[in-house]
Amino acid sequence: MKNFELFLTETGISIFYVKIGLGFLFSFLITYFSVPTIIKISRRKNLMDEPGVRSSHMRKIPNLGGIAIFYSIGICTSIFAYELFDLYKFLFASLVILLYIGVMDDIVVMRAYKKLVAQIVVSALIVIGSDIRIRSLFGICGVYQLSYFVSILFSIITFIILINAFNLIDGIDGLAGGYSVICCLLFGVSYYRLGEYNYPLVVLAGVIIGAVLAFLYYNLSNYRTTKIFMGDTGSMLLGFLLAFTAICFIDIFIDKDLPNVPRYHLQSAPVIAVAILILPIVDTLNVIVIRLANKKSPFDADKNHIHHKLLKLDLTHRRATFYIIVYYLFIVTVAYYLRHTNINLLLLIILGLGFLGAYLPDFIYVLRNNKK
């Protein structure tokens, strides 16, 4: 790879643009050609997702699409963004553990505590081993620098919440995948604007987008023979990677006074990251509050998710996904234009808009029934 980079340098071609272009292309192609084989094996071995309490589909559908996503991300990131595995030694190990746990859960359905233990191990590996952690809250609730122990604990909890939050929004066709593409696009553009030091993270974002777009081709298919879900394998993997990119994004704006590393300042950086990941955060908090209010376990399955509420309005999966993504893109736009506002006020605005979006379908449903 280094000889190839030397050749590109001599010819005057930008190495970065070649990496991101090839990373996206190969990631897309690997997933695109892997999924049909996974579908064939899943049908032959009856490795299918059975309709249940939380399900919004009526037939058995293969649910191992996350394997193809991992396959392409693992290959393309190690080739085109290998610097990440040099910088963060435990990143690949964490992905492999999540792959194993996800596949096990998709096939035999693991107990919740076993999944939680595995998620704690994975989060601890990346937080303690690779030092990917939230070091400061930038003044949220008057808190700035976090002590090492608090930073470790808070970062591990953040990883676990986001891993499970993405799992929870994966309830209708295209939502988890489409939202992941939007998040990676937003983080990728942000990293690109922040300079060359962050280019490996831009390539990672491009690789994820390529893999997920290829998956969405099958996930949004109208033909039962080509349809597939990403399963827990895919949703946990994407949740972990987006938590990783979000924490890296926040960390950029902490002045660490390192040689050859540019200094940036954005007081509202944590809130911008929250705005980009607002859908899984709000959806998870919302269903937990509802379950506790109804004196149920937070782990009990139900149909109180935002996408379930939109389906109650007789929307199709695609239309519900479209409306959700457009609304939460509106929130990101608000966060961007108000990024120089007081950080606590901005956080309240973003969370307020997020919860408004969660309860808007309920208001529409009540109004529609009253008219009838």
Side-chain angles (χ1 to χ4, degrees):
M1 191 67 186
K2 290 183 178 178
N3 291 334
F4 179 63
E5 289 180 5
L6 186 61
F7 168 74
L8 290 176
T9 304
E10 290 174 352
T11 55
I13 302 172
S14 172
I15 297 169
F16 165 69
Y17 293 113
V18 171
K19 281 184 175 182
I20 195 167
L22 291 179
F24 172 84
L25 178 63
F26 281 108
S27 181
F28 182 91
L29 292 175
I30 290 170
T31 303
Y32 183 83
F33 288 111
S34 299
V35 169
T37 304
I38 293 170
I39 292 174
K40 189 184 297 182
I41 294 170
S42 296
R43 291 191 174 279
R44 189 177 298 165
K45 301 294 183 182
N46 197 32
L47 304 173
M48 315 279 271
D49 184 51
E50 301 276 354
V53 177
R54 279 182 54 206
S55 303
S56 53
H57 61 284
M58 304 304 294
R59 297 176 179 175
K60 294 194 296 184
I61 304 291
N63 66 335
L64 294 175
I67 294 176
I69 295 173
F70 169 84
Y71 184 42
S72 59
I73 291 174
I75 291 173
C76 294
T77 305
S78 60
I79 295 173
F80 300 108
Y82 58 85
E83 299 94 340
L84 291 176
F85 295 130
D86 287 338
L87 285 169
Y88 312 116
K89 303 295 184 185
F90 293 92
L91 178 58
F92 192 73
S94 300
L95 296 179
V96 172
I97 294 170
L98 282 176
L99 170 70
Y100 176 76
I101 297 302
V103 171
M104 287 285 289
D105 193 48
D106 287 330
I107 294 175
V108 298
V109 185
M110 294 180 65
R111 290 187 178 181
Y113 80 89
K114 289 184 178 179
K115 283 172 63 178
L116 180 61
V117 169
Q119 290 167 4
I120 292 171
V121 170
V122 165
S123 303
L125 276 176
I126 198 72
V127 171
I128 300 171
S130 297
D131 204 33
I132 298 296
R133 55 191 175 90
I134 300 168
R135 304 165 200 273
S136 171
L137 292 185
F138 291 72
I140 293 176
C141 299
V143 179
Y144 287 88
Q145 199 73 22
L146 299 175
S147 68
Y148 181 76
F149 177 76
V150 172
S151 172
I152 291 288
L153 188 61
F154 184 60
S155 301
I156 288 174
I157 292 171
T158 301
F159 266 103
I160 292 168
I161 289 173
L162 287 173
I163 289 169
N164 287 289
F166 263 85
N167 190 17
L168 291 176
I169 68 167
D170 184 29
I172 59 174
D173 296 344
L175 182 56
Y179 198 78
S180 298
V181 168
I182 297 299
C183 289
C184 286
L185 191 61
L186 292 169
F187 279 126
V189 170
S190 301
Y191 284 129
Y192 177 76
R193 293 181 63 190
L194 290 168
E196 292 184 16
Y197 184 77
N198 303 297
Y199 278 0
L201 288 164
V202 182
V203 176
L204 173 64
V207 166
I208 296 171
I209 291 171
V212 176
L213 283 178
F215 162 78
L216 286 172
Y217 173 81
Y218 297 99
N219 181 235
L220 295 173
S221 172
N222 291 321
Y223 301 102
R224 188 177 165 223
T225 53
T226 56
K227 196 172 191 65
I228 192 170
F229 298 150
M230 68 170 64
D232 282 6
T233 308
S235 60
M236 288 200 299
L237 182 72
L238 292 174
F240 172 80
L241 286 172
L242 286 168
F244 169 79
T245 53
I247 292 174
C248 286
F249 174 78
I250 295 169
D251 201 50
I252 287 171
F253 297 96
I254 296 173
D255 191 358
K256 295 183 286 295
D257 195 19
L258 297 174
N260 303 319
V261 178
R263 296 181 181 182
Y264 304 99
H265 179 73
L266 180 63
Q267 186 70 23
S268 60
V271 182
I272 298 297
V274 168
I276 293 174
L277 297 172
I278 189 67
L279 170 60
I281 292 171
V282 162
D283 191 52
T284 302
L285 290 174
N286 179 50
V287 294
I288 288 174
V289 168
I290 291 173
R291 289 169 189 173
L292 292 175
N294 293 328
K295 297 181 180 179
K296 293 182 179 179
S297 167
F299 303 104
D300 284 349
D302 57 33
K303 288 198 172 185
N304 289 314
H305 296 279
I306 298 168
H307 53 269
H308 288 135
K309 295 178 182 182
L310 287 173
L311 293 181
K312 278 175 65 179
L313 297 175
D314 299 324
L315 294 176
T316 62
H317 283 218
R318 291 186 183 188
R319 189 161 295 213
T321 293
F322 176 75
Y323 287 155
I324 290 171
I325 289 177
V326 167
Y327 181 79
Y328 286 102
L329 271 175
F330 159 71
I331 293 178
V332 174
T333 305
V334 170
Y336 177 76
Y337 281 104
L338 298 179
R339 65 190 182 278
H340 298 303
T341 307
N342 175 274
I343 189 170
N344 290 292
L345 176 60
L346 182 58
L347 181 61
L348 284 174
I349 292 170
I350 296 307
L351 289 177
L353 288 172
F355 280 102
L356 175 63
Y359 287 100
L360 203 54
D362 292 326
F363 298 144
I364 295 170
Y365 185 76
V366 170
L367 288 173
R368 186 179 289 183
N369 283 350
N370 287 340
K371 285 183 180 179
K372 288 180 181 178

